[in-house]
Amino acid sequence: MKDDLKAKKHVKSATKEGIVMMALLQMLQNAGGKMEKKAAKNMLPQTDDRISDEMIQEEKVSKKTGTTYRPFNFIFNFAVKRLQLFDCIENSRGKFLILTEKGMELDLSQTNGEKIRSATEKLMNELSEKNKNKKETQKLVENPKNRVVDPEPEDDDSDDISDSTESWKEELKVQLRKMDPSKFEKFSRRLIQEMGAQIDDEIGVKLSQDHGLDGYAYFVSDELRTTRVAIQSKRYNNQVGDKYIRDFRGSIQNGTDYGILITTDYFTPAAVKEAKDPSKSTPITLLDLDDVVEKHQLFVKRVETYELGDFYFE
């Protein structure tokens, strides 16, 4: 019975992978061959209605580790890996997805997700085996007494998840959502200061009812020009739509040059359009909180190391 359930789950994941692969190819071709990885993932529902915002945002707790994860992230990562193995996307760990010449010229009407999966299945299995060997080697390094290979794990809804695909940014978002409101306020104040803003002491910055930070600050340019901005730093459990942008803009006082909205979750295309609407008096700058943390290296540390090549595990 357990094997049957795992087989059904595999078929479901395979179908989703195929849908994501074709949607990614379509988006990248339409965009001229290059898109930011995060933006591509978030725009998938606009490309294929079989992919919903709820599917992307769904969170689960791993039975093995107790950590929160988003299953769709792994479907997305595996889809990208297959497209790399199919020589349609450049093999890069950077922030962008870039089509190869083959990817740009590929006739999408003549292929589908199943064909790409079939062509890359052998290579994916080889990668999976190499990753398994790497994990076993790491176990021995961490615990030299553990000379016996662990028995096959029990069924878990994260069995097929590679730890290497869990990004620190996803971990950051989970921790920020769990953070005490007063601590999140301190975090937000520090974040605003790291951005180079001077908080307006008279108007102040206050903790909002939804555990965010509302306030005003000033930026002083190299030319000594002062710009007054309204800032909101908030954490949401779902996507940020255009309604939030309109509400934020409506709360901004006169005399403010523009607004900055920083959040833990992604902005929908409607929210981005609303923020840039030229007919509105106050423009809104939208920032992903994890990108700001990375840029200013706030309470994170950059780790550089070496990784053994596939040669050692073949």
Side-chain angles (χ1 to χ4, degrees):
M1 176 65 71
K2 186 179 291 186
D3 289 339
D4 290 342
L5 289 174
K6 293 187 79 172
K8 290 179 180 178
K9 174 183 168 186
H10 175 74
V11 170
K12 187 175 181 181
S13 297
T15 302
K16 288 181 180 179
E17 272 184 35
I19 293 171
V20 171
M21 283 190 286
M22 297 306 296
L24 281 174
L25 287 172
Q26 181 181 335
M27 277 197 303
L28 285 165
Q29 287 186 352
N30 292 341
K34 182 177 181 180
M35 287 186 71
E36 190 176 357
K37 192 178 296 183
K38 181 190 297 184
K41 179 171 66 176
N42 293 337
M43 289 179 64
L44 284 169
Q46 283 72 53
T47 306
D48 193 312
D49 57 14
R50 290 173 294 180
I51 305 170
S52 65
D53 291 315
E54 291 73 23
M55 184 189 301
I56 293 176
Q57 296 294 314
E58 180 192 15
E59 293 185 346
K60 291 186 177 182
V61 177
S62 171
K63 296 177 183 177
K64 291 181 179 179
T65 64
T67 58
T68 303
Y69 68 95
R70 292 184 175 181
F72 187 82
N73 285 349
F74 305 109
I75 293 173
F76 179 82
N77 289 336
F78 291 139
V80 170
K81 175 55 67 176
R82 286 187 182 276
L83 290 176
Q84 290 174 344
L85 295 175
F86 198 59
D87 194 28
C88 282
I89 290 180
E90 291 185 6
N91 192 0
S92 171
R93 295 186 179 183
K95 295 176 62 175
F96 293 91
L97 296 176
I98 303 174
L99 285 182
T100 61
E101 184 177 347
K102 174 182 175 180
M104 281 296 295
E105 297 178 354
L106 186 66
D107 185 350
L108 302 187
S109 66
Q110 299 299 314
T111 190
N112 56 47
E114 184 55 39
K115 288 181 179 179
I116 297 175
R117 280 187 57 85
S118 177
T120 58
E121 191 66 16
K122 181 179 178 181
L123 292 173
M124 285 292 286
N125 289 337
E126 290 175 356
L127 280 176
S128 177
E129 188 63 28
K130 289 174 183 176
N131 287 335
K132 181 179 178 181
N133 291 338
K134 289 180 181 180
K135 288 183 180 180
E136 293 300 333
T137 301
Q138 186 62 34
K139 287 179 183 179
L140 294 178
V141 171
E142 295 173 353
N143 184 8
K145 295 181 180 180
N146 184 20
R147 296 295 177 183
V148 179
V149 177
D150 290 342
E152 184 176 350
E154 295 181 1
D155 184 37
D156 187 286
D157 52 9
S158 60
D159 272 350
D160 297 328
I161 295 173
S162 170
D163 291 338
S164 63
T165 61
E166 280 278 23
S167 73
W168 67 270
K169 290 186 177 182
E170 290 299 325
E171 192 176 346
L172 170 67
K173 290 178 180 179
V174 171
Q175 294 305 316
L176 288 174
R177 292 193 194 103
K178 292 163 54 177
M179 192 176 286
D180 178 83
S182 62
K183 186 175 182 179
F184 184 72
E185 178 190 9
K186 294 176 182 177
F187 166 84
S188 297
R189 284 179 179 272
R190 176 66 180 275
L191 188 70
I192 292 169
Q193 292 171 353
E194 291 294 330
M195 291 169 60
Q198 301 172 8
I199 296 175
D200 190 317
D201 293 327
E202 292 186 9
I203 300 178
V205 176
K206 65 185 181 199
L207 186 68
S208 65
Q209 292 182 347
D210 54 356
H211 298 169
L213 203 66
D214 296 334
Y216 290 84
Y218 297 97
F219 286 98
V220 180
S221 69
D222 293 338
E223 293 77 25
L224 302 182
R225 181 177 182 272
T226 300
T227 303
R228 184 170 183 261
V229 299
I231 297 181
Q232 281 194 356
S233 174
K234 300 201 174 190
R235 45 188 175 177
Y236 297 99
N237 291 324
N238 296 301
Q239 60 191 15
V240 181
D242 53 338
K243 178 183 181 299
Y244 294 99
I245 311 303
R246 288 193 295 272
D247 290 346
F248 177 35
R249 182 183 279 117
S251 69
I252 295 176
Q253 297 178 357
N254 291 331
T256 303
D257 292 282
Y258 63 97
I260 299 177
L261 179 57
I262 311 170
T263 181
T264 52
D265 267 287
Y266 82 95
F267 300 98
T268 65
V272 175
K273 182 178 180 180
E274 174 67 28
K276 296 179 179 179
D277 190 342
S279 67
K280 304 297 173 63
S281 58
T282 307
I284 307 295
T285 298
L286 306 180
L287 298 176
D288 289 327
L289 201 150
D290 51 4
D291 290 336
V292 182
V293 168
E294 180 180 17
K295 178 179 180 179
H296 298 285
Q297 298 188 25
L298 184 61
F299 305 121
V300 296
K301 59 182 180 180
R302 186 181 182 88
V303 179
E304 295 187 21
T305 185
Y306 291 95
E307 183 180 84
L308 292 181
D310 293 340
F311 171 83
Y312 294 99
F313 302 96
E314 292 175 341

